[in-house]
Amino acid sequence: MRSIVTLAFVLSLYCGSVTAQGTGDSLRLSLQQCVETAIKNNADVQRKDLLKQSAHLGWTQARENMIPTLNADAYHGNNQGRSINPYTNSYIDQQLSYANYSIYSSVTLFQGLSLQNAIKQNKLAFNAASYEEQQQKELLTLNVIMSYLQVLTNEDLLALAYQQQGVSNKQVERLDIRDKDSAADPKELNDLRGQLANDQLTVVTTQNSLENAKLSLAQLMNVPYTNKLAVERVSADKAPQLLYDANAEEVYKSASGNLAIVKAADLRKESAEKAIQVAKGKGWPVVFLSGSLATNYSSAGTLQNLVSTTHQAGSSYVEYNGSQLPVIEESNTYAADKIPYTKQLNNNLNNSISIGVTIPILNNFSNKNKIAQARITAQDAAITANSVRIQLQQNVEQAYFNMTAAQNKYKVLKLQQAAFKESFRVAEVKFNAGAINSVDYVVAKNNYDKSNINLIVAGYDLAIRIKLLDYYQGKPLW
């Protein structure tokens, strides 16, 4: 697929340099700069980019769902009153503090290939989102190109309007000189003054149209409008293409294999079909492997086996198994040994590993309904993909018809302009020689002026229609 930068050079067949330059206080932009600015500032393009990023996260998460989970817990607490000693599992009635630590992991070994199909589904969705972003950029680019052409059209029309005004002004000046010598017909002088005013009005109208075209271009670029905005000029020495090398069917065939909107619709369809497999997989038994490591501590962790031994009177400790045990009651020989915190953690270590199966039997028919919903979504995506192709074919047929009509119109206008040019040349010679009146001269001039305007508009119209067909075919546009 051609890049957006390539698409930005759609007028390069006619353009010379595309480097922006400053002329005085004006800001002159190339078509490429206009396109890049519009894409950078357009909210719809930015939203499509966010949707693409979101789809990429979905694809990433689908792959990471294959990774085992690993979690850890740590609990600390205090207890008052009758409870179970977590160290000896015997009843006690005292205040104690306790702690539990554990780390555990689990991995799904099999779930009807649901996880694998989810990866494929989300990858297809991400690729579709990428093409949808590209399509949004291409649509914006085409709008910028049309607006850019409208600016160039009005610039050429304005230059022609100034030229027409100049011709009328010279005739008025010539008759003014003759009028001072009483050699000019007042009617002819007033006719030409009226023609001059009409040409001046055309200049004003065309200037307004030019500024309106610049305003539209600035709005597409989402930048503040300024009357100093100017665009790269079009070379006038290359005529529009009058023969096209493909028919409508060939253009559609190329478009259906090249355009991002078609690829995106096909990928959405494939993604929806994978979603059916994902939903079916979740109805299969789940085989999982899990393991854990845990330990605990309790402040009541003392030897509750009473130890009988003798001790010296007045002594607070007795010797037992090589250790000194504190005497609990002076009247007898019972003693208890409190186990340290770290030793309790080591003594209480336990681990487990297990493999299990979860078999879905009846879950409110939720999975059955999810499969049915996935099939509906897939059917809708298939209809959308088919509709995109139908709409594309209709657009190509309309574009090809418009291009053919524009070609025929341009050919006729080119012949008309040549005829009126010669007619005006002869009329001007005769008028200057006094052989025809001002009415005939004005008619000849208006015909020639109108033919020039029509030819300029038709030339730009044909150029954009040809380039639109080139775009459908995926041709290089420079």
Side-chain angles (χ1 to χ4, degrees), residues 339-406:
I339 301 176
Y341 183 86
T342 56
K343 189 173 183 179
Q344 279 199 48
L345 295 181
N346 291 330
N347 290 343
N348 294 338
L349 275 175
N350 67 88
N351 60 77
S352 68
I353 185 169
S354 62
I355 186 169
V357 179
T358 299
I359 302 175
I361 298 176
L362 182 62
N363 295 290
N364 308 112
F365 298 102
S366 61
N367 199 64
K368 177 184 175 181
N369 292 329
K370 288 179 180 177
I371 295 173
Q373 184 61 54
R375 284 177 175 153
I376 293 173
T377 303
Q379 291 174 358
D380 181 69
I383 293 173
T384 300
N386 186 55
S387 298
V388 167
R389 280 181 162 77
I390 293 174
Q391 186 63 52
L392 175 62
Q393 185 173 17
Q394 293 175 351
N395 290 343
V396 168
E397 290 172 348
Q398 185 66 54
Y400 194 87
F401 172 81
N402 292 339
M403 185 274 298
T404 303

Side-chain angles (χ1 to χ4, degrees), residues 401-419:
F401 172 81
N402 292 339
M403 185 274 298
T404 303
Q407 282 182 336
N408 295 332
K409 182 177 181 180
Y410 183 81
K411 292 176 183 177
V412 173
L413 289 175
K414 192 171 180 63
L415 294 174
Q416 182 190 63
Q417 189 266 354

Side-chain angles (χ1 to χ4, degrees), residues 8 42 81 104 111 115 125 162 177 189 196 203 207 211 217 226 232 247 252 279 321 330-331 341 397 437-438 457:
N42 186 264
Y104 48 94
Q111 193 181 12
L115 296 178
Y162 277 121
I177 294 174
L189 178 58
L196 176 59
V203 169
Q207 283 177 331
E211 293 306 315
L217 181 59
T226 171
E232 290 285 338
N247 56 36
Y252 167 70
N321 287 343
E330 290 293 338
S331 60
Y341 183 86
E397 290 172 348
N437 59 33
S438 59
V457 173

Side-chain angles (χ1 to χ4, degrees), residues 234-255:
V234 167
S235 176
D237 58 350
K238 295 182 180 179
Q241 180 181 343
L242 295 180
L243 292 175
Y244 201 72
D245 58 359
N247 56 36
E249 183 178 353
E250 292 170 336
V251 173
Y252 167 70
K253 185 177 180 180
S254 297

Side-chain angles (χ1 to χ4, degrees), residues 53-95:
Q53 293 180 39
S54 178
H56 187 270
L57 286 175
W59 180 27
T60 301
Q61 183 60 61
R63 287 177 293 173
E64 292 173 346
N65 286 341
M66 300 286 291
I67 301 174
T69 62
L70 180 64
N71 297 283
D73 291 334
Y75 299 98
H76 287 258
N78 289 280
N79 190 70
Q80 179 68 47
R82 184 175 177 81
S83 63
I84 297 293
N85 186 337
Y87 185 73
T88 64
N89 289 325
S90 61
Y91 283 102
I92 58 174
D93 187 3
Q94 66 181 69
Q95 182 178 357

Side-chain angles (χ1 to χ4, degrees), residues 48-278:
K48 291 294 183 182
D49 181 62
L50 291 176
L51 290 175
K52 183 183 74 172
Q53 293 180 39
S54 178
H56 187 270
L57 286 175
W59 180 27
T60 301
Q61 183 60 61
R63 287 177 293 173
E64 292 173 346
N65 286 341
M66 300 286 291
I67 301 174
T69 62
L70 180 64
N71 297 283
D73 291 334
Y75 299 98
H76 287 258
N78 289 280
N79 190 70
Q80 179 68 47
R82 184 175 177 81
S83 63
I84 297 293
N85 186 337
Y87 185 73
T88 64
N89 289 325
S90 61
Y91 283 102
I92 58 174
D93 187 3
Q94 66 181 69
Q95 182 178 357
L96 62 86
S97 61
Y98 60 90
N100 294 293
Y101 305 98
S102 62
I103 183 169
Y104 48 94
S105 178
S106 177
V107 60
T108 300
L109 301 178
F110 179 78
Q111 193 181 12
L113 301 180
S114 179
L115 296 178
Q116 291 83 349
N117 285 322
I119 294 174
K120 296 176 182 178
Q121 176 200 354
N122 283 276
K123 181 180 180 180
L124 291 168
F126 166 68
N127 290 336
S130 299
Y131 279 117
E132 287 166 354
E133 181 192 23
Q134 180 179 336
Q135 174 65 14
Q136 188 65 45
K137 291 179 180 179
E138 290 177 353
L139 288 175
L140 178 61
T141 298
L142 285 177
N143 289 332
V144 171
I145 289 169
M146 293 178 184
S147 184
Y148 192 95
L149 274 173
Q150 193 62 41
V151 174
L152 294 177
T153 301
N154 282 284
E155 285 183 350
D156 284 356
L157 291 177
L158 182 59
L160 178 61
Y162 277 121
Q163 181 182 346
Q164 295 167 352
Q165 177 183 305
V167 172
S168 296
N169 191 56
K170 287 181 180 179
Q171 289 293 353
V172 170
E173 289 176 351
R174 185 178 67 83
L175 289 184
D176 274 337
I177 294 174
R178 294 183 61 189
D179 183 59
K180 292 178 181 177
D181 298 332
S182 300
D185 184 347
K187 178 182 179 303
E188 291 185 348
L189 178 58
N190 288 324
D191 285 343
L192 287 178
R193 284 175 176 170
Q195 180 62 38
L196 176 59
N198 184 64
D199 291 341
Q200 290 171 339
L201 180 61
T202 300
V203 169
V204 173
T205 302
T206 308
Q207 283 177 331
N208 292 336
S209 297
L210 175 59
E211 293 306 315
N212 186 58
K214 290 181 180 179
L215 173 61
S216 297
L217 181 59
Q219 290 175 344
L220 277 175
M221 293 190 292
N222 200 17
V223 297
Y225 163 74
T226 171
N227 57 9
K228 296 179 181 179
L229 174 66
V231 299
E232 290 285 338
R233 286 297 309 138
V234 167
S235 176
D237 58 350
K238 295 182 180 179
Q241 180 181 343
L242 295 180
L243 292 175
Y244 201 72
D245 58 359
N247 56 36
E249 183 178 353
E250 292 170 336
V251 173
Y252 167 70
K253 185 177 180 180
S254 297
S256 61
N258 286 316
L259 286 189
I261 189 174
V262 177
K263 293 184 177 181
D266 288 343
L267 288 169
R268 289 293 182 191
K269 175 185 174 183
E270 293 179 35
S271 178
E273 291 170 350
K274 280 296 176 185
I276 298 176
Q277 302 302 318
V278 173

